[in-house]
Amino acid sequence: MLNPIKLNQGLRNIAVGLFLFLFCTNSVRANVYATDIRMNGSLNAGVVVPDRQLTISYILNDNANAGVTAQILSGLAVVKTFSMPGGSPGTVAGMNSLIWGGTNEAGSNVPPGVYTVSITAASHGYDSWTNITDDSANFTAIGLTGIDVNRNTNSPYYGRVFVGCAYPSFTILKCNADGSPGDEGGSSNGGLSWGAGADATDVFFSPWKIAIGANDKVYINDFSGFGVVYAFDELISTNYQEALSEVNYPYPTPFLSGLYITGSGTNAFIWMTDLNTNSSAGILRWQLDANGNAATNDVGTVIAPVTNSSPLSSAPYDIAVDKNGFVYTIQLETPYNPGIVPIMSFPPYEGFTETNAVWTAGTGESNQMYDYGIAVDQTATYAAVAVRGAGDAEAPGDGYFLDLYYATNGQFYTNINGTYGHLYVDVAWDNIGNLYALDLSEQAWCVFSPPGSNQATTVSVPIIQAYNALTPPSLSWPNLSSTGINFTLQGQSNVTYFIEQSLDLVNWTPVSTNFCPSITNSISIPFADNQDFYRAVVGR
């Protein structure tokens, strides 16, 4: 079983018209989907052999009242199907699981190889946009600022929700799609003292806007730093990078807000808005390198300037870019700055600054006071706008809406939850059309499901490795380094192993999880306080 070791992106107008024709009548129908798929608790791989069962777990963001179907796949071929009718175990909101014993539909053991899991969740849906969250502690927080959802289907953290909380906690919430906290902990400040800027009033607004890149990095704007953007991993660990810093500023005193990431690799860009009302540069964009950071000599490209010849005449507050490259922004209409165009869309950037909007919306509407956030869904059908409103004391009854516009032409579609007393400050969409919003007055983040039935399929990132038998793993070649104890792990490919530690060879404690697609892997364990034994075991 083991061997213990002892040691211490021309024809722009035509394109726009065609886009309107194709998409104006479309509507999103989605609400329930599976996320956080794990194999025996692993985000990498699970293993099956004859007579050894595998637990496949997943989280549903809502009840799949029309049922769940899970399929084991070998390439595109279906090996085994599990069908769970609505209301049965495996279909409820939250954590669910099923057991696979490594057999096909005929009951025979599957041959050795790599298998994947596909989970399809279905729902009868709702008659109108419906809040599917509740009043539990999982959805409540103080000082809400920014929100985004991981839409990368190739990410083990697909569906994870990140929420920025400024004063007094200065932290980022890390939540699963059902609102439960991440396994590694439900919040983190990433090792930063957010809100430590020069202007003491900005202490209440940092961390600020959040955007997740195709590289799975979580980009967060430090408003108190007047536009510094940090890039974190999905755990918001202290191993962060400064993706945009003071050296990237276009002039000495910018005030960068909004945040959006497009593209991937060296064709990735970070988009921001300059909120400086006296001399705003407008909408800016920086190209990111392979590490996801702007070059130190890059002071940004002006995509849409603030000018009297453009509807963008004040200072943009937030930004979104759809899958076709159309750019959406909002600017603050306040009691002190009335009559501006609050919402607009610009055509895709073609190498020159843009002052002609594709459409504008909301001009002269009293319910557009203080638009704070904008987001476009994955199909580029709807643009959602979070309206904070003027506030009870300044203009009672103004605002308090989540407004939806058709992204193609700016036509008003509907408002969601337009009741007195809500102060919405940011919005985001997930990959299947649920709308996420931050309600500052309720001190809660909430999720609105669109009307209509749906089904959504998630293919697992973790794989399943099938073997005829398990080869006992071994640890060898122990040596010491400045960081800890190093071993060579010899085992089988695509198997997750736990490295365990013991004082007495009887009681064992997991100290590390190791996965490698090859049969050998180098591992390192932090120094122990005393003389211990170590072993590797297959993840259970």
Side-chain angles (χ1 to χ4, degrees), residues 195-487:
D199 188 341
T201 61
D202 294 324
V203 72
F204 299 101
F205 306 105
S206 196
W208 192 233
K209 299 294 185 177
I210 302 175
I212 302 170
N215 57 7
D216 239 22
K217 290 186 177 181
V218 183
Y219 293 83
I220 305 178
N221 176 208
D222 183 0
F223 210 49
S224 68
F226 303 111
V228 173
V229 175
Y230 297 100
F232 297 88
D233 58 27
E234 293 282 329
L235 305 182
I236 315 295
S237 70
T238 57
N239 187 29
Y240 62 84
Q241 297 173 292
E242 203 168 278
L244 200 69
S245 66
E246 291 90 340
V247 297
N248 302 115
Y249 289 172
Y251 52 84
T253 57
F255 198 19
L256 300 182
S257 177
L259 180 60
Y260 204 83
I261 308 294
T262 59
S264 61
T266 55
N267 195 38
F269 298 89
I270 184 168
W271 302 67
M272 297 197 75
T273 61
D274 185 357
L275 195 55
N276 192 322
T277 55
N278 295 320
S279 56
S280 173
I283 297 172
L284 297 142
R285 189 183 79 171
W286 292 260
Q287 187 164 11
L288 301 178
D289 61 22
N291 294 319
N293 305 318
T296 56
N297 61 346
D298 184 359
V299 295
T301 300
V302 175
I303 305 300
V306 170
T307 171
N308 291 334
S309 61
S310 168
L312 189 60
S313 59
S314 177
Y317 197 83
D318 194 18
I319 186 172
V321 184
D322 71 19
K323 66 175 185 176
N324 304 296
F326 288 81
V327 181
Y328 306 77
T329 192
I330 53 178
Q331 53 188 350
L332 289 181
E333 180 180 11
T334 73
Y336 318 103
N337 188 27
I340 67 168
V341 179
I343 313 163
M344 68 202 75
S345 173
F346 290 101
Y349 180 64
E350 295 182 342
F352 52 87
T353 58
E354 189 62 68
T355 59
N356 296 316
V358 175
W359 56 259
T360 63
T363 305
E365 297 178 11
S366 62
N367 63 356
Q368 290 301 321
M369 198 71 71
Y370 289 110
D371 288 354
Y372 260 36
I374 189 167
V376 182
D377 75 289
Q378 291 299 95
T379 64
T381 301
Y382 300 125
V385 178
V387 184
R388 195 206 75 178
D392 297 4
E394 297 177 71
D398 282 351
Y400 320 109
F401 294 107
L402 283 176
D403 289 338
L404 292 186
Y405 297 83
Y406 286 107
T408 53
N409 58 11
Q411 179 182 348
F412 178 75
Y413 169 57
T414 191
N415 62 57
I416 301 172
N417 209 29
T419 57
Y420 181 79
H422 294 278
L423 304 174
Y424 294 109
V425 294
D426 203 20
V427 279
W429 298 87
D430 64 20
N431 202 48
I432 66 163
N434 291 307
L435 178 62
Y436 296 64
L438 298 183
D439 188 339
L440 195 62
S441 63
E442 294 292 324
Q443 297 183 358
W445 64 275
C446 43
V447 185
F448 293 89
S449 176
S453 61
N454 89 290
Q455 67 175 35
T457 299
T458 306
V459 177
S460 68
V461 173
I463 60 172
I464 302 172
Q465 175 70 60
Y467 285 116
N468 287 326
L470 289 175
T471 300
S474 65
L475 293 176
S476 59
W477 300 103
N479 63 85
L480 301 179
S481 70
S482 60
T483 58
I485 306 168
N486 306 311
F487 301 98

